[in-house]
Amino acid sequence: MMESVGVYGLCGCAAKSKVKCDSRWEIPASETAPTSAYSSPARSLGDTGITPLSPSHIANDADPNVSEQQTFLVVVAIDFGTTSSGYAYSFTKEPECIHVMRRWEGGDPGVSNQKTPTTILLTPERKFHSFGYAARDFYHDLDPNEAKQWLYLEKFKMKLHTTGDLNMDTDLTAANGKKVKALEIFAYALQYFKEQALKELSDQAGSEFENSDVRWVITVPAIWKQPAKQFMRQAAYQAGLASPENAEQLIIALEPEAASIYCRKLRLHQMIELSSKAAVNGYSSGDTVGAGFAQAKEHIRRNRQSRTFLVENVIGEIWSELEEGDKYVVVDSGGGTVDLTVHQIRLPEGHLKELYKATGGPYGSLGVDYEFEKLLCKIFGEDFIEQFKIKRPAAWVDLMIAFESRKRAAAPDRTNPLNITLPFSFIDYYKKFRGHSVEHALRKSNVDFVKWSSQGMLRMSPDAMNALFKPTIDSIIEHLRDLFQKPEVSTVKFLFLVGGFAEAPLLQQAVQAAFGDKCRIIIPQDVGLTILKGAVLFGLDPAVIKVRRSPLTYGVGVLNRYVEGKHPPEKLLVKDGTRWCTDVFDKFISADQSVALGELVKRSYTPAKPSQLVIVINIYSSEHDDVSFITDPGVKKCGTLRLDLTGTSGAAVPARREIQTLMQFGDTEIKATAVDIATSKSVKVGIDFLNY
């Protein structure tokens, strides 16, 4: 490992207190203070007057990263979803026009194909073959034995949320059970969107469109932790969207924030109000949710030939009812996750302020698919379903496509059964596997609300289908109830329901029943494209969200002077007669702390030896804000801050150098810049949450 011992930090306050930074060492709480584990901090410092360090915040509007703003001709946003994905773009000279990508080939009956399924197919040699409907249809048409050699992946985005130790080597499992590097798959998918978008832009412009003319925006759930965001950025670099040298070309947008930005612009005819307080768009409270939504979808279908959406450059009519300080909640319910964010409007510009840290969980529409799979296991046996998925992967995909289309037909007031076609290979393979028919299995099982139809279909009663939705919807409602208990959320005026799962009438009805008396519940008409359009607006004006909340407490480990009675005895380290307290958590920022865009946390570090060219400092995080030591319960090492001093030294450099580091927590990603105070040269700085 690079030399990192003997780093000490200086506070960014006027009277610079000095403190020894932990670069690498972590002493277990049970261990008594050794005398040889550390080089003498006193000798490194040349001074024994160590005092505790308090975070120094600077409200800095002139963010050093933004000062030399690069100009782009177009903003392209990629909504990389768990179940479906797509892109949209806007030319910076015509920011009021948002163009949604060309129509995709293929599609399913009863399913809108404005976006394409997030599915990818690799050849047996692991080379990229196709994406979306093309991947799915090609895979479906393969001979069953040949299909086993091809690598087909779907719904793989959830891996980034569920993997605790995400890194560059994290694997994904294809439908045939083979492993493939997650970074490769995400890079292939982003590269595909890059090529599609550049081709469409070139066709429209009539000449070759360069990647350097594009500012890219990629959407991620707000509840994703830093490693997942960094992973997405690395995949984008690998796909050629941007590069570490030109990192500003790519912006990571948080999905509910993007939706919130778009909802600000809504006109009355672009939304449906579920709550009974007022009629919007000609629907009175007497109309059923389903009827209103069906009319809206018909309106969208008729207007879909034009893929250009006009966005008012004024604030939409919905905001004419909002006053300074009014609050609203955005519930982004997608395929994999549900993300909740609470914003407050700041007039006259309509800037947004986050009031409570983003919350949510894995309560997306995939939960309904899992319930269906559990039902199949109950009827046909878990052993059979597992074998069928391995032996007939393409047929399993077909079965889930058939379920998806019927899932969308579920509604609170439905009375007639839903038919789900079983692939012939399912019926055939079951007979070989069990020695009796699918019909026999259904009769024998205790599941009386699923019947067998002579046309080779499972007939599900509406109650049976609704039961598959219940666990997921219950989780969403429970999470929202918890959120509404918070004082910051008590006086919310609107609740915007967005994301693909928001189209489900069962979810709409549940949200309306639980919260219709607390606030007005609004659904944008083209609800599945809300995030995509909002991400374009965010790319055009990334400074629209002025204040965010930190989801975690961040800090580093330092050495402070030992204070008898205040510090625990097991943290005592004596070296050269000086008593030190080890493992002290030096807090940069607290969980749920309000941070303005451009607000900086300032620290100064110095190498212990003039010859040292690299400083590596461990970063720790916790969900709690009352953290004293890096060994406290719930504190995890989550990344490293790396200062590279090569190329900054000169003849006039003093023996003890001060490297000033500025960290920005108010953006969608944590960023850092650093400068050598003596030479005023910038220092290469990297915050790494993946490889540490």
Side-chain angles (χ1 to χ4, degrees):
M1 181 175 164
M2 63 217 47
E3 185 182 8
S4 59
V5 180
V7 178
Y8 72 89
L10 300 163
C11 163
C13 317
K16 289 196 172 106
S17 327
K18 296 169 192 160
V19 59
K20 171 96 178 181
C21 262
D22 158 39
S23 315
R24 184 172 59 188
W25 324 290
E26 294 171 42
I27 298 185
S30 58
E31 208 172 292
T32 51
T35 52
S36 57
Y38 290 66
S39 61
S40 164
R43 194 179 302 140
S44 305
L45 291 164
D47 178 11
T48 55
I50 305 298
T51 56
L53 185 60
S54 59
S56 158
H57 290 275
I58 317 159
N60 183 359
D61 293 326
D63 174 5
N65 289 332
V66 186
S67 54
E68 295 176 29
Q69 194 76 53
Q70 196 172 339
T71 53
F72 300 99
L73 298 179
V74 67
V75 169
V76 179
I78 300 171
D79 179 6
F80 197 124
T82 304
T83 49
S84 62
S85 298
Y87 67 87
Y89 57 93
S90 178
F91 294 97
T92 48
K93 286 187 176 159
E94 296 179 296
E96 67 284 351
C97 290
I98 298 175
H99 309 269
V100 176
M101 70 224 167
R102 293 170 177 163
R103 283 176 68 88
W104 298 97
E105 296 307 313
D108 302 324
V111 178
S112 151
N113 66 337
Q114 193 74 48
K115 293 202 279 186
T116 193
T118 309
T119 53
I120 196 164
L121 184 63
L122 306 188
T123 66
E125 295 74 42
R126 295 173 176 254
K127 295 279 180 280
F128 175 81
H129 180 271
S130 47
F131 187 90
Y133 289 116
R136 221 181 55 185
D137 295 346
F138 187 92
Y139 185 61
H140 169 270
D141 292 340
L142 284 169
D143 173 84
N145 287 322
E146 202 184 341
K148 289 179 200 169
Q149 306 307 314
W150 289 66
L151 286 84
Y152 178 83
L153 296 104
E154 60 179 356
K155 299 165 186 165
F156 47 84
K157 181 183 166 189
M158 275 302 280
K159 182 83 175 184
L160 269 60
H161 180 67
T162 54
T163 305
D165 55 348
L166 183 68
N167 58 56
M168 308 286 261
D169 294 321
T170 295
D171 285 326
L172 296 172
T173 307
N176 62 0
K178 290 183 179 172
K179 301 268 191 218
V180 61
K181 289 274 172 283
L183 192 69
E184 267 176 52
I185 296 300
F186 280 84
Y188 277 144
L190 291 171
Q191 191 175 349
Y192 171 80
F193 279 114
K194 175 192 161 195
E195 287 166 6
Q196 293 291 318
L198 287 177
K199 188 172 187 311
E200 183 172 339
L201 288 166
S202 299
D203 290 350
Q204 203 164 324
S207 60
E208 195 72 18
F209 220 90
E210 296 294 327
N211 186 63
S212 55
D213 295 329
V214 180
R215 162 162 265 174
W216 295 96
V217 181
I218 298 175
T219 65
V220 304
I223 54 171
W224 270 16
K225 297 204 163 42
Q226 291 298 328
K229 292 178 189 172
Q230 186 181 329
F231 185 93
M232 210 59 158
R233 183 169 277 281
Q234 290 300 327
Y237 290 162
Q238 197 163 311
L241 273 70
S243 65
E245 296 70 40
N246 194 11
E248 294 298 307
Q249 190 177 358
L250 169 69
I251 300 178
I252 299 290
L254 307 181
E255 287 161 1
E257 280 193 359
S260 179
I261 292 163
Y262 180 68
C263 288
R264 287 159 66 247
K265 305 279 190 180
L266 285 174
R267 310 290 297 185
L268 289 178
H269 65 273
Q270 294 171 315
M271 60 196 172
I272 301 120
E273 178 156 8
L274 298 187
S275 36
S276 54
K277 291 188 180 174
V280 174
N281 203 13
Y283 306 130
S284 72
S285 56
D287 291 330
T288 65
V289 168
F293 211 73
Q295 282 176 263
K297 283 172 98 168
E298 177 58 26
H299 170 78
I300 293 157
R301 192 189 61 74
R302 283 200 301 272
N303 288 291
R304 196 163 260 158
Q305 297 315 310
S306 159
R307 294 172 303 105
T308 302
F309 294 84
L310 287 176
V311 179
E312 303 289 331
N313 54 15
V314 296
I315 288 175
E317 285 154 305
I318 192 93
W319 300 112
S320 61
E321 298 179 40
L322 281 174
E323 296 162 4
E324 173 79 33
D326 277 350
K327 307 167 188 175
Y328 62 95
V329 176
V330 175
V331 180
D332 169 24
S333 43
T337 53
V338 165
D339 244 356
L340 313 174
T341 192
V342 187
H343 278 157
Q344 186 174 43
I345 191 90
R346 286 168 142 195
L347 299 174
E349 300 92 349
H351 289 146
L352 302 175
K353 174 182 179 182
E354 189 177 26
L355 286 183
Y356 188 73
K357 66 180 180 185
T359 60
Y363 319 130
S365 61
L366 280 188
V368 185
D369 299 357
Y370 294 143
E371 288 300 315
F372 178 61
E373 194 176 321
K374 272 160 64 178
L375 179 67
L376 291 176
C377 289
K378 195 172 173 185
I379 297 168
F380 302 107
E382 197 173 332
D383 54 342
F384 166 73
I385 295 296
E386 288 309 310
Q387 274 303 301
F388 180 70
K389 282 159 83 171
I390 294 163
K391 300 288 188 194
R392 301 282 188 274
W396 174 256
V397 170
D398 281 354
L399 174 55
M400 292 314 287
I401 291 167
F403 173 69
E404 177 67 27
S405 130
R406 303 323 297 138
K407 180 171 92 177
R408 288 169 184 260
D413 49 0
R414 189 182 177 102
T415 52
N416 53 324
L418 295 122
N419 291 332
I420 296 159
T421 307
L422 284 181
F424 172 74
S425 63
F426 185 98
I427 299 165
D428 183 54
Y429 191 69
Y430 184 78
K431 183 129 200 212
K432 285 177 187 162
F433 191 87
R434 286 272 189 255
H436 57 247
S437 68
V438 162
E439 190 178 356
H440 175 81
L442 272 160
R443 273 204 312 270
K444 209 178 71 169
S445 78
N446 297 325
V447 183
D448 53 359
F449 43 75
V450 181
K451 303 279 183 251
W452 176 246
S453 102
S454 53
Q455 288 92 16
M457 296 179 181
L458 292 178
R459 280 175 81 81
M460 289 185 77
S461 72
D463 286 348
M465 179 61 92
N466 295 0
L468 299 182
F469 279 78
K470 193 174 183 323
T472 303
I473 289 177
D474 284 354
S475 294
I476 295 169
I477 299 299
E478 188 183 337
H479 204 91
L480 267 169
R481 279 214 174 95
D482 288 348
L483 185 68
F484 271 83
Q485 299 298 317
K486 310 279 183 237
E488 301 92 332
V489 191
S490 55
T491 54
V492 161
K493 258 199 181 175
F494 293 99
L495 185 153
F496 289 98
L497 198 54
V498 304
F501 196 26
E503 291 183 7
L506 289 165
L507 176 60
Q508 292 172 16
Q509 188 200 46
V511 172
Q512 169 60 22
F515 306 104
D517 60 340
K518 291 185 173 66
C519 57
R520 291 169 62 183
I521 294 158
I522 308 271
I523 302 182
Q525 265 191 12
D526 221 349
V527 67
L529 297 177
T530 306
I531 290 155
L532 192 49
K533 293 185 229 171
V536 174
L537 294 173
F538 181 65
L540 292 166
D541 180 16
V544 63
I545 303 210
K546 294 292 184 194
V547 180
R548 288 185 174 86
R549 296 269 171 166
S550 175
L552 296 169
T553 298
Y554 288 99
V556 295
V558 298
L559 285 178
N560 277 359
R561 277 295 290 271
Y562 187 83
V563 179
E564 204 71 52
K566 178 188 172 189
H567 293 139
E570 66 269 20
K571 297 291 183 193
L572 175 63
L573 166 73
V574 181
K575 185 67 181 163
D576 295 343
T578 306
R579 292 155 66 83
W580 300 96
C581 180
T582 65
D583 298 336
V584 176
F585 187 92
D586 168 29
K587 194 186 293 183
F588 289 161
I589 196 158
S590 295
D592 204 32
Q593 183 176 327
S594 186
V595 203
L597 192 65
E599 189 174 324
L600 301 167
V601 175
K602 185 174 171 187
R603 290 289 187 280
S604 290
Y605 300 106
T606 189
K609 304 173 193 162
S611 61
Q612 189 176 333
L613 294 177
V614 174
I615 300 175
V616 179
I617 299 154
N618 290 333
I619 300 174
Y620 297 87
S621 68
S622 171
E623 291 181 5
H624 312 290
D625 58 0
D626 54 342
V627 181
S628 302
F629 298 97
I630 60 171
T631 51
D632 285 358
V635 177
K636 296 182 187 139
K637 182 181 164 192
C638 67
T640 54
L641 179 70
R642 186 178 190 276
L643 302 171
D644 184 349
L645 309 185
T646 49
T648 56
S649 53
V653 173
R656 204 175 77 193
R657 298 162 68 184
E658 182 188 336
I659 312 300
Q660 193 178 84
T661 308
L662 300 170
M663 277 159 289
Q664 186 177 323
F665 290 90
D667 214 329
T668 57
E669 298 171 275
I670 296 173
K671 297 174 182 171
T673 53
V675 67
D676 187 330
I677 295 297
T679 62
S680 298
K681 287 185 180 174
S682 66
V683 172
K684 273 192 214 156
V685 58
I687 295 188
D688 195 342
F689 294 99
L690 280 174
N691 313 294
Y692 57 85

